[in-house]
Amino acid sequence: MCIRDRHGTPGAAGVLDPLFPRLGNGGYDVRHYDLALDWDPAASGERAEQPLRGTARITSWATQNLSAFNLDLKGLEVTSVTVDGRPARYGQAGTELTVRPEKELDKGSTFRTTVEYAGRPGPLEDADGSEEGWLTGKAGTVALGEPSGAMTWFPGNHHPLDKATYTLRATVPKGQRAVSNGEPETLKPKPARDGRTTWTWNSRRPMASFLTTLAIGRYELSTGRASSDLPLVNAVAPCEDAEVLERLPEVLDWSVERFGAYPFDSYGALVLDPGTAGYALETQTRPVYPGAPGVGLVVHETAHQWFGNSVTPRTWQDIWLSEGFATYAEWLWEEDHDGPTAQSTFDRLYATSEDADLWAFPPADPPGPDDLFSDPVYQRGAMTLHQVRRLLGEDRFARLLTGWPKKHAYGHARTADFTAYAESLAPDTATREALTRTWSAWLRAEGKPDSARPGR
């Protein structure tokens, strides 16, 4: 169906993110996704062409009068759309699903959009050559969404600005498990037709869609408790040695001591068979690992639950606020566990030559989508935090590590929000001025900073 009427008050087809201007949509805010998915990769006949069938019930709040609005969806065919139970006109072009309700929606109203869709989901190639979206490995499939892969398996407002809660029900073949974010209603799934089973997961805390995941396959499930009685749920591909997951309670205890109260209602891990994905991802409450991880990687993805998941970058240009903190968490872990000090790690990195990738661009200003996961974002971002630590001192920096995620819990932040917060902890004018010089040299200036000393 093609929508040609341009009159009315349509929502924007993108939020004009500096790096992904077409990602996300304007005019509404999603409050809750209720996703019902049916996955049958061995189906024959007509169903063979559409192994995934889905129903997305999306509860939203209109931030303006809406004659039409968009959802992000790629590679799947929409078969029907209703808004508040009434059939709506719709059209698909590229990654945009445009919906025109029967009646214009009033600003401030709550409305439910139901989208029926089907198809064969697949991977999405990123600008840096990596793959996200719907990936397939020996143990089964997994959906990964950073920065935009969630659009390959459900329609939504797929920019970090729009967080929502989730209910996900996945019906899968007999003998397979469906693992997602949040908490399972039960680890004994409900029987469905022909021996198939339905698994239900609830994410009651706000989550950006790039942090959603769904793994379907012959994963081995285990449960446990952290020392705080927090439920742990792990899913591990067959034959993967994930002994390091026994240290999850220890890593959580250390993280809570460093960063404050854990922000979610459960934790765990999803360990894939090697070759399914080429990277780990901080999927909310249940990070994904591309094989059995080392403890440093577990520390990194655990820190993301505070930095990136609870406090989410407002734009993709602010991603160093996620990766810089998670990388610095690794430095702190090593320092606290008889490894190299953070200062020695900083000194080693600063000694790298001026033409090294580390100095290719300032961490607060990645020039393009292919730079999101580069050394300046991770390592130079962590180096910036170390400079802040040196200027504030141990006590005030410890307050920053707990106060920053508490101040912005379940919300968003820009680089400017962080610099203002750090300056608010400065004991005097001289320190604030030194922090200002540090932002210029370490966050925004091109090339290697002239001095390793903070505030110079």
Side-chain angles (χ1 to χ4, degrees):
M1 183 183 296
C2 180
I3 297 177
R4 299 185 183 279
D5 185 1
R6 297 179 182 272
H7 299 292
T9 54
V15 298
L16 300 181
D17 184 277
L19 298 180
F20 297 90
R22 295 285 291 179
L23 197 60
N25 303 285
Y28 66 96
D29 178 74
V30 177
R31 299 301 176 85
H32 184 73
Y33 290 93
D34 186 313
L35 305 176
L37 305 175
D38 187 302
W39 174 244
D40 191 1
S44 57
E46 180 182 342
R47 179 66 193 271
E49 298 302 316
Q50 296 183 329
L52 179 69
R53 292 184 177 178
T55 300
R57 298 177 178 88
I58 307 169
T59 303
S60 307
W61 177 69
T63 59
Q64 65 172 68
N65 293 335
L66 277 177
S67 60
F69 59 91
N70 283 32
L71 296 165
D72 301 312
L73 184 66
K74 178 179 175 58
L76 300 171
E77 179 186 356
V78 173
T79 55
S80 74
V81 179
T82 63
V83 177
D84 290 334
R86 298 176 180 176
R89 299 168 63 198
Y90 65 91
Q92 287 184 267
T95 62
E96 300 292 336
L97 167 64
T98 304
V99 178
R100 186 176 294 279
E102 181 181 279
K103 180 181 178 182
E104 182 170 297
L105 302 168
D106 293 331
K107 179 180 179 179
S109 64
T110 298
F111 62 98
R112 173 180 282 188
T113 306
T114 301
V115 181
E116 303 274 355
Y117 61 99
R120 181 178 296 279
L124 179 66
E125 184 173 343
D126 290 333
D128 63 1
S130 61
E131 287 190 332
E132 54 170 326
W134 195 270
L135 308 177
T136 302
K138 293 178 181 178
T141 61
V142 65
L144 301 178
E146 188 175 17
S148 59
M151 70 171 68
T152 66
W153 61 287
F154 70 96
N157 198 5
H158 293 311
H159 187 275
L161 266 178
D162 197 354
K163 291 185 174 185
T165 56
Y166 285 75
T167 298
L168 184 147
R169 286 177 292 276
T171 300
V172 300
K174 182 179 181 180
Q176 297 194 14
R177 295 176 168 87
V179 183
S180 189
N181 312 86
E183 295 72 58
E185 283 194 357
T186 175
L187 289 178
K188 294 182 179 179
K190 295 180 180 179
R193 63 187 183 280
D194 301 327
R196 292 155 59 76
T197 53
T198 299
W199 300 72
T200 302
W201 297 79
N202 293 295
S203 295
R204 299 178 179 88
R205 303 287 186 175
M207 176 166 60
S209 66
F210 80 91
L211 297 169
T212 59
T213 190
L214 172 63
I216 301 172
R218 300 187 181 279
Y219 296 94
E220 298 175 5
L221 292 179
S222 64
T223 61
R225 294 274 174 176
S227 60
S228 61
D229 209 34
L230 185 80
L232 300 176
V233 181
N234 298 322
V236 180
C239 302
E240 280 302 293
D241 178 10
E243 184 177 348
V244 70
L245 298 185
E246 295 177 5
R247 299 188 68 180
L248 271 183
E250 175 192 359
V251 171
L252 268 174
D253 286 347
W254 176 86
S255 300
V256 167
E257 183 178 353
R258 278 290 193 173
F259 311 133
Y262 178 71
F264 302 113
D265 300 320
S266 67
Y267 195 50
L270 173 56
V271 180
L272 309 177
D273 57 88
T276 306
Y279 51 87
L281 189 60
E282 62 270 21
T283 43
Q284 193 159 303
T285 70
R286 197 147 291 107
V288 171
Y289 299 99
V295 68
L297 186 55
V298 173
V299 169
H300 183 105
E301 305 305 338
T302 299
H304 269 309
Q305 305 307 307
W306 286 261
F307 307 104
N309 296 12
S310 179
V311 185
T312 303
R314 191 169 182 83
T315 75
W316 284 109
Q317 208 164 41
D318 301 304
I319 190 174
W320 84 272
L321 289 171
S322 297
E323 300 301 348
F325 269 104
T327 301
Y328 199 67
E330 294 181 69
W331 297 14
L332 291 173
W333 171 272
E334 291 193 346
E335 185 174 86
D336 289 350
H337 292 81
D338 300 322
T341 65
Q343 183 63 53
S344 65
T345 302
F346 176 95
D347 292 340
R348 174 178 56 80
L349 289 169
Y350 188 77
T352 58
S353 64
E354 294 182 0
D355 60 354
D357 290 343
L358 177 61
W359 316 115
F361 59 87
D365 192 20
D370 56 337
D371 300 305
L372 285 180
F373 310 110
S374 299
D375 281 352
V377 170
Y378 289 69
Q379 302 294 350
R380 185 168 166 180
M383 294 174 82
T384 302
L385 293 173
H386 187 69
Q387 300 291 60
V388 175
R389 177 184 178 184
R390 295 170 72 185
L391 287 170
L392 291 182
E394 294 301 310
D395 290 345
R396 287 185 174 83
F397 186 72
R399 285 166 52 193
L400 182 149
L401 289 178
T402 58
W404 170 250
K406 183 177 181 180
K407 180 178 177 65
H408 294 279
Y410 312 117
H412 303 87
R414 295 182 182 271
T415 295
D417 298 320
F418 172 76
T419 57
Y421 184 77
E423 289 172 17
S424 75
L425 297 176
D428 50 44
T429 301
T431 303
R432 282 191 293 275
E433 291 175 349
L435 284 168
T436 298
R437 292 191 293 272
T438 296
W439 312 141
S440 297
W442 285 89
L443 282 182
R444 303 207 177 276
E446 298 286 345
K448 182 177 180 178
D450 293 335
S451 174
R453 296 182 65 184
R456 294 298 180 96

